[in-house]
Amino acid sequence: MNTTAHVLVGLVAALHVYILVLEMFLWQRRPGRGLSGFDAEMARATAPLAANQGLYNGFLAAGLIWGLIAADPTGCRVQVFFLSCVVIAGLYGGATANRRILVAQALPGALALAAVLVAG
């Protein structure tokens, strides 16, 4: 179960690195605009906000990676903390911005969190 938990945490970390790239660097291009659904003008106007969001996603990814490389019990505790942050952010984003965030962020985070807790 430990291997499954690590794979799921790694996938959630990779997802957040991908979101960082979309929000910080590709927001005004096709991939970023596809994510937001914004036209070119709105993407340009919201680019600084998106870059800030991307940075926060990068912090989540960094925390998850730290949790994967840190020795236990610290590694496990760090994973639980950052996965909890991912789930909370996903729930909030799903409730306030777009319901797709529930499936794209909260669900993977919750599955990884459950695996980490079971692996203990």
Side-chain angles (χ1 to χ4, degrees):
M1 190 62 177
N2 199 29
T3 301
T4 301
H6 283 147
V7 167
L8 291 175
V9 172
L11 289 173
V12 173
L15 171 65
H16 284 275
V17 169
Y18 176 68
I19 295 170
L20 172 148
V21 170
L22 284 175
E23 292 179 339
M24 291 190 78
F25 306 110
L26 301 175
W27 190 252
Q28 296 182 60
R29 295 189 177 103
R30 182 172 291 146
R33 288 179 44 206
L35 177 70
S36 68
F38 291 158
D39 61 22
E41 183 179 332
M42 182 60 85
R44 191 176 318 106
T46 59
L49 297 171
N52 190 53
Q53 288 176 184
L55 185 62
Y56 285 100
N57 279 289
F59 292 144
L60 291 173
L64 292 171
I65 293 166
W66 171 34
L68 287 171
I69 62 174
D72 285 333
T74 301
C76 182
R77 291 174 183 159
V78 168
Q79 290 174 43
V80 168
F81 174 78
F82 280 96
L83 288 168
S84 297
C85 292
V86 166
V87 172
I88 292 166
L91 292 172
Y92 184 80
T96 61
N98 189 321
R99 287 188 183 217
R100 291 183 306 172
I101 297 171
L102 292 171
V103 174
Q105 183 177 16
L107 180 60
L111 292 173
L113 178 59
V116 168
L117 292 172
V118 168

